[in-house]
Amino acid sequence: MNYDESVKTNQSMLKSFKRIWPYLKNYKGRVFSSLFLVFTQVITNVLEPFIFGLIITEISSNVIDMIRGVPAAGLNYSYIYTVIIIYFVRGLINQASGFGSNYFMTEAVQNMTFDLRSDITRKLNRLPVSYFDQHQFGNILNRITNDVDTIANAFQISLLQVFNAVLQLIFVILMMIWIQWQFALIMVIVIPLSGYIAKYIINKSQKHFKEQADVLGRMNGFVQENLSGFNEIKLYGREHHVNKEFRTITAKLNEIGFKASFTSGLIRPLITFVAHSAYVVIALFGGLLTLTGRMTIGNLQAFTQYVWQVNQPIQMLSQLSGLIQSSVAAINRVFELMDEEEETRESSNTLDRTGVGEVSFENVSFSYNQANPLIQNFDVKVAPGETIAIVGPTGAGKTTMINLLMRFYDVNQGKILIDGQDIRTLPRQQYRSLFGMVLQDTWLFKGTIKENLRFGNLHATDEEIIEAAKVTNVDHFIRTLPGGYDMQINQESTNVSQGQKQLLTIARALLSDPKILILDEATSSVDTRLEILIQRAMDRLMEGRTSFVIAHRLSTIQDADRILVMDQGQIIEQGNHKDLLKQGGFYFKLYQSQFAE
């Protein structure tokens, strides 16, 4: 790493810390208490060799006096006991400081993490749907979980240890200078040399760790893919091929993992070798000074111990560098999300819920990408209680029309009116409460059936839930399940069938009592018998409500009041089923392709 790259890295770390500091600042009392206790712990650590050296010096002096036959010579027990008590008290303070610093920092970091995750959640609720369309859910989830955990670990572990290491280096060097400044000059060579060795090895090992992460990701993807397709692997007898490919990946992972671990593992022995060399030099020349009386044996012992106390923080800083770099990357990823542009500000207008459900698209134009216009000068008016079916080929603009109606996206030109009100002048949450949606991809969460149904109306009573289930033909099915309405839906909703899940979502939509319904391919993934059952449930759900039905199966929309045939963002035909067949146009050809023998 050259000088410019080093400066950029340091600037990035400082910038990242400035972004996260406001969250930690809320608990600065705990943080500074923790750092003060670390300071106390370092002082007691540094004093240990010196205090122990006082005992050794006194005992050796007393023994020499006894050997020389000095009158009344003997061990100075009162002095030795006093120093031992001081040493013991020092140890208690050291342990208490270590416990307290960890306690206060853990409390501060966990509270910081809670605040950060809360802000991320609030941010996600303010982001437009377009953000989620353009980013993988796994990537977003990783920022909320893994990246925040990385930040928490870095602050909880690294902050204290880095502060500890830096203070220990400073005070140990000061003690060395105070005891024997000539020997302290040796550490001026040892410290930069150890730092250079650690930095060199880290730079060499980083590429191996990156490659290891890439291969590990490849292996995880391979395992996930093959576990999800396990039945097909067995069916086509591809077990040997899969095993061979897996062994190839794991062999590569083994090779790269060895290089990464071995290279990074060289830091400790090489730095220890440098420390041993310094230790030998100091022990040799210190012994000569002790024999000539220019240095006490206790101070020599203390000085040699300080050599190891210098070595420890250097190793610690080297080992923490990877975690610190990871935390910087995690902070940047989290705040990339936090800096995303939010939805336009909510209107302060109040929604008039007494409306009857009239919907108008007036000269609407919209495109996801300005270079590729999708909907242009789109006009349609839907009367209250009217059922509108929307059909057309893939990419015709059917789902886009619903996205605009739900204000998942705002129109580029024109306006959409609900009962004469421009929907952009209405608060989103209140406006969306007018709608009920039943989608092809059903969504149920882990919880009881009753809790899943009540999601449509959190204030619904048990009686209202049961009545909605009866109306949508799902009550009998629920009562046949173990536990009935209190049966737990599992994480993946695999303990109920696809058709049963669809009926539950219809009951949930009915319970929300919407004025306008959107049904998007609600029967496309079920068999004919269940399709009829679901269709009856939807017919009851749509009674008296303005409804938009997107369908590929034309058999499900033949009774619609009006059918809009769309292509390339435009309505090319409209009318009821019989009229469109008589026209012999696009709809007629679409119908013939599905039902002609």
Side-chain angles (χ1 to χ4, degrees):
M1 182 182 292
N2 58 38
Y3 174 78
D4 291 338
E5 290 175 336
S6 179
V7 169
K8 288 180 181 178
T9 300
N10 293 334
Q11 289 176 344
S12 176
M13 292 175 63
L14 183 60
K15 182 179 178 182
S16 299
F17 183 78
K18 285 181 178 179
R19 293 302 304 268
I20 202 69
W21 170 244
Y23 288 92
L24 200 58
K25 186 173 67 174
N26 295 330
Y27 309 98
K28 60 184 178 182
R30 296 179 180 89
V31 173
F32 289 130
S33 297
S34 177
L35 295 179
F36 173 76
L37 290 172
V38 171
F39 178 85
T40 304
Q41 186 181 27
V42 169
I43 293 294
T44 54
N45 274 337
V46 173
L47 286 175
E48 178 184 8
F50 178 76
I51 295 172
F52 200 69
L54 293 177
I55 299 174
I56 293 176
T57 298
E58 184 65 21
I59 292 174
S60 62
S61 176
N62 294 159
V63 170
I64 291 172
D65 287 345
M66 286 189 291
I67 292 173
R68 290 176 177 173
V70 176
L75 292 178
N76 188 352
Y77 286 106
S78 82
Y79 178 84
I80 293 171
Y81 288 154
T82 301
V83 176
I84 288 175
I85 291 172
I86 294 172
Y87 184 84
F88 180 73
V89 172
R90 179 216 62 85
L92 288 178
I93 295 173
N94 180 275
Q95 294 301 313
S97 299
F99 174 82
S101 65
N102 280 325
Y103 176 82
F104 285 123
M105 185 57 72
T106 299
E107 194 175 50
V109 169
Q110 291 306 313
N111 287 328
M112 177 200 76
T113 304
F114 175 82
D115 293 344
L116 182 58
R117 281 206 173 103
S118 298
D119 279 359
I120 292 173
T121 302
R122 284 191 285 269
K123 178 69 178 185
L124 290 174
N125 288 329
R126 295 194 298 265
L127 289 175
V129 174
S130 58
Y131 177 83
F132 299 95
D133 288 342
Q134 296 165 11
H135 294 80
Q136 292 181 339
F137 286 125
N139 189 297
I140 298 172
L141 183 63
N142 192 62
R143 296 179 192 229
I144 302 171
T145 55
N146 293 348
D147 287 340
V148 174
D149 283 341
T150 299
I151 296 170
N153 290 335
F155 274 87
Q156 191 164 323
I157 298 172
S158 302
L159 185 60
L160 290 182
Q161 292 191 359
V162 168
F163 189 65
N164 186 307
V166 172
L167 283 180
Q168 187 161 317
L169 275 174
I170 293 172
F171 286 115
V172 166
I173 292 172
L174 289 176
M175 287 297 293
M176 284 180 160
I177 293 172
W178 182 60
I179 293 173
Q180 184 61 251
W181 67 268
Q182 293 93 336
F183 283 177
L185 293 177
I186 297 175
M187 305 314 296
V188 175
I189 300 173
V190 170
I191 293 173
L193 180 60
S194 298
Y196 174 78
I197 290 171
K199 183 177 179 181
Y200 178 80
I201 294 175
I202 287 171
N203 290 338
K204 287 291 184 182
S205 63
Q206 280 302 310
K207 64 177 183 180
H208 296 310
F209 277 112
K210 183 181 182 304
E211 192 172 356
Q212 182 185 30
D214 293 339
V215 178
L216 184 62
R218 180 185 165 196
M219 186 189 75
N220 290 336
F222 180 84
V223 171
Q224 181 183 9
E225 181 182 75
N226 283 276
L227 284 177
S228 62
F230 183 75
N231 291 340
E232 285 74 12
I233 292 172
K234 301 290 286 185
L235 174 65
Y236 292 104
R238 293 293 184 268
E239 296 93 338
H240 176 73
H241 174 77
V242 170
N243 288 336
K244 183 179 179 181
E245 189 172 351
F246 181 75
R247 284 195 298 270
T248 302
I249 296 173
T250 51
K252 182 68 173 177
L253 182 61
N254 180 57
E255 178 188 349
I256 297 300
F258 172 79
K259 289 180 180 179
S261 299
F262 178 77
T263 306
S264 63
L266 291 174
I267 292 177
R268 181 180 290 273
L270 288 177
I271 291 179
T272 302
F273 173 76
V274 173
H276 273 105
S277 301
Y279 185 88
V280 170
V281 172
I282 289 171
L284 178 62
F285 288 100
L288 294 175
L289 290 177
T290 302
L291 291 175
T292 59
R294 294 167 59 189
M295 188 175 189
T296 66
I297 189 170
N299 282 346
L300 175 61
Q301 178 272 339
F303 207 98
T304 55
Q305 289 298 312
Y306 286 138
V307 173
W308 300 117
Q309 286 199 4
V310 166
N311 180 49
Q312 289 170 0
I314 293 174
Q315 289 189 8
M316 187 185 300
L317 290 173
S318 302
Q319 293 167 355
L320 289 174
S321 62
L323 180 59
I324 293 171
Q325 291 174 12
S326 298
S327 69
V328 170
I331 291 172
N332 292 338
R333 279 170 51 81
V334 166
F335 282 98
E336 279 177 8
L337 187 151
M338 298 291 281
D339 292 337
E340 286 290 337
E341 187 175 349
E342 300 178 4
E343 286 183 320
T344 54
R345 285 196 112 173
E346 291 280 35
S347 169
S348 58
N349 293 345
T350 302
L351 175 66
D352 180 12
R353 295 189 62 88
T354 61
V356 290
E358 181 184 78
V359 180
S360 297
F361 288 76
E362 295 185 359
N363 197 32
V364 168
S365 295
F366 173 78
S367 64
Y368 296 103
N369 183 347
Q370 293 183 356
N372 299 305
L374 180 58
I375 293 178
Q376 292 182 307
N377 305 319
F378 184 87
D379 288 284
V380 68
K381 188 171 184 177
V382 181
E386 187 177 9
T387 297
I388 300 294
I390 308 169
V391 300
T394 301
K398 306 185 295 296
T399 301
T400 300
M401 179 180 170
I402 300 303
N403 285 340
L404 295 176
L405 181 61
M406 291 295 299
R407 275 203 79 189
F408 293 152
Y409 292 85
D410 280 330
V411 299
N412 299 137
Q413 292 180 1
K415 55 186 176 179
I416 301 174
L417 305 176
I418 296 289
D419 295 323
Q421 290 182 281
D422 189 333
I423 64 175
R424 288 173 295 184
T425 66
L426 301 173
R428 285 186 179 84
Q429 190 169 359
Q430 291 184 30
Y431 167 69
R432 288 170 183 161
S433 67
L434 297 174
F435 290 83
M437 292 187 75
V438 180
L439 307 176
Q440 176 184 357
D441 297 325
T442 55
W443 177 76
L444 298 176
F445 58 86
K446 185 179 181 181
T448 65
I449 288 178
K450 187 184 295 182
E451 289 170 341
N452 273 276
L453 295 179
R454 188 173 275 128
F455 192 80
N457 179 3
L458 298 179
H459 303 291
T461 64
D462 290 353
E463 291 75 18
E464 289 171 332
I465 291 173
I466 293 172
E467 182 59 29
K470 287 180 178 178
V471 171
T472 54
N473 299 321
V474 74
D475 175 70
H476 174 71
F477 150 68
I478 294 174
R479 293 184 185 277
T480 62
L481 297 172
Y485 284 86
D486 293 319
M487 191 194 94
Q488 284 279 338
I489 301 291
N490 63 23
Q491 190 78 47
E492 294 80 20
S493 309
T494 54
N495 52 345
V496 289
S497 72
Q498 180 64 34
Q500 292 160 347
K501 284 193 287 187
Q502 197 66 273
L503 288 171
L504 289 173
T505 60
I506 293 172
R508 182 171 63 192
L510 178 63
L511 202 60
S512 69
D513 191 24
K515 289 186 176 295
I516 303 172
L517 272 174
I518 296 174
L519 308 174
D520 188 354
E521 300 288 352
T523 62
S524 64
S525 58
V526 296
D527 59 38
T528 304
R529 184 184 66 83
L530 265 176
E531 179 184 340
I532 295 171
L533 194 63
I534 292 173
Q535 191 63 50
R536 289 174 183 170
M538 289 195 301
D539 290 341
R540 294 184 181 182
L541 179 62
M542 289 188 291
E543 287 178 3
R545 295 183 172 91
T546 305
S547 302
F548 293 85
V549 183
I550 297 177
H552 282 129
R553 289 187 181 181
L554 301 187
S555 60
T556 62
I557 57 160
Q558 294 182 14
D559 295 329
D561 298 318
R562 190 165 22 138
I563 299 173
L564 305 181
V565 184
M566 295 188 65
D567 190 23
Q568 298 181 358
Q570 299 298 315
I571 298 174
I572 57 174
E573 295 176 4
Q574 61 178 304
N576 60 36
H577 175 69
K578 291 182 179 179
D579 291 341
L580 290 173
L581 287 181
K582 288 179 182 179
Q583 292 178 20
F586 190 94
Y587 180 83
F588 175 79
K589 294 177 181 177
L590 196 63
Y591 183 82
Q592 288 295 317
S593 68
Q594 289 191 20
F595 294 99
E597 296 182 3

